[in-house]
Amino acid sequence: MIDAKRLESITAEAGRIAYDLWPGAGHDLDSWEKEPGAPVCEADLAVDKFLKRELGQLLPSAGWLSEETGDDHSRLDRSLIWLVDPIDGTRDFIRGRTGWAVSVALVSAGRPLIGILSAPARDETWTAVAGRGAWRNGTKLAASTRKDLAGARVPTDSLPKVDRDLSMVDKPNSIALRIAMVGSDEADLVATLRWGFEWDVGAATLIAREAGAAVSDAFGNTLDFNKRDPRAFGVIACAPAIHTAAIERLAGRAAKIGGDKDL
């Protein structure tokens, strides 16, 4: 089986590489747009290169799917793949804010087996192993157990009028960190209504689920990974008791929206 300590060490080093390039630590960062509205920076590429080399050596049989590497569909023939977002929350990273993380997941037969988020600007390391639980900085996590949707804590900058019975809490730019917040009982609900990529949520959804949260796409379906088209419409992570109510509330919007809204 995989060397877990080596994996943790590799991910921690990836976080250090990113931190040493982070404007919040005083670095003069080079950044640009891959396409309008899609920022990328030198740290994305440096971390991606490092992880591709080191994780490839750690588990040579695994395929590779990363935000910053051209997709090689040979991964579809592999039972294991590395699923990587070198910097999740690039906007916060570029602005010198702390809401970013390095996200690494090992996916087996379409399901995350191991998930790690390295968030050095927040002094946080999140880990999960399928069937064994989730931890932050070595402390085992227990997800939100909220019973009622009204009043649920949502990491967001604003709420639509129809959702103002919910409660806003601090929102890191990283969707992975927002999902992990449900696992640490710092949020009750995270929901997106847009097309998102597997690398954004692979590690975090395992962390939330292993902590006891309910996790699905926007329609309540199981999230599958290592698909030919590595996208899903929306993600919901929440306290189990409010999952059905959240799906019902969002159903009309999910059916109508073509892609770019967040709750």
Side-chain angles (χ1 to χ4, degrees):
M1 186 48 186
I2 192 168
D3 183 339
K5 290 196 177 298
R6 177 62 183 148
L7 174 57
E8 291 173 10
S9 175
I10 290 169
T11 309
E13 178 63 12
R16 187 198 64 76
I17 291 168
Y19 186 87
D20 286 349
L21 294 169
W22 177 49
H27 186 77
D28 186 13
L29 185 74
D30 288 334
S31 64
W32 58 95
E33 288 193 339
K34 292 181 285 188
E35 56 188 60
V40 66
C41 66
E42 60 182 306
D44 289 287
L45 304 186
V47 172
D48 188 71
K49 181 178 179 180
F50 170 78
L51 287 174
K52 194 170 193 300
R53 182 184 73 239
E54 295 298 319
L55 295 177
Q57 292 174 0
L58 181 66
L59 193 61
S61 62
W64 178 262
L65 179 60
S66 165
E67 180 172 13
E68 305 303 341
T69 305
D71 189 6
D72 178 356
H73 284 139
S74 65
R75 64 180 170 80
L76 298 171
D77 299 322
R78 308 289 184 95
S79 60
L80 293 168
I81 70 157
W82 291 111
L83 187 57
V84 170
D85 193 341
I87 306 285
D88 185 60
T90 299
R91 287 181 178 83
D92 268 11
F93 186 92
I94 291 171
R95 293 167 182 161
R97 300 175 181 171
T98 63
W100 58 273
V102 177
S103 176
V104 174
L106 181 64
V107 171
S108 173
R111 298 287 184 270
L113 180 65
I114 301 171
I116 303 179
L117 300 177
S118 175
R122 302 160 71 96
D123 293 319
E124 294 175 348
T125 300
W126 306 71
T127 61
V129 178
R132 298 185 185 178
W135 298 263
R136 179 174 57 184
N137 294 350
T139 299
K140 191 164 187 179
L141 300 177
S144 167
T145 57
R146 186 173 186 85
K147 304 297 183 187
D148 299 311
L149 183 58
R153 297 165 295 169
V154 181
T156 187
D157 296 323
S158 62
L159 287 167
K161 186 175 181 180
V162 68
D163 296 316
R164 288 181 186 164
D165 60 334
L166 305 177
S167 176
M168 293 189 295
V169 295
D170 182 59
K171 173 195 168 185
N173 180 233
S174 164
I175 182 61
L177 287 175
R178 300 201 302 270
I179 291 169
M181 287 171 67
V182 178
S184 62
D185 197 15
E186 294 168 303
D188 304 304
L189 170 66
V190 170
T192 69
L193 294 177
R194 57 184 168 84
W195 287 99
F197 288 93
E198 294 180 12
W199 51 71
D200 293 320
V201 301
T205 52
L206 179 64
I207 290 165
R209 193 178 73 237
E210 284 297 317
V215 176
S216 71
D217 70 11
F219 300 103
N221 302 314
T222 299
L223 290 167
D224 294 316
F225 294 87
N226 197 25
K227 304 186 303 296
R228 178 170 290 277
D229 179 357
R231 300 182 300 163
F233 184 74
V235 62
I236 293 178
C238 63
I242 66 172
H243 186 253
T244 298
I247 294 293
E248 290 173 352
R249 176 175 294 203
L250 295 170
R253 281 174 271 179
K256 285 194 239 182
I257 294 172
D260 60 357
K261 269 193 165 181
D262 280 88
L263 173 63

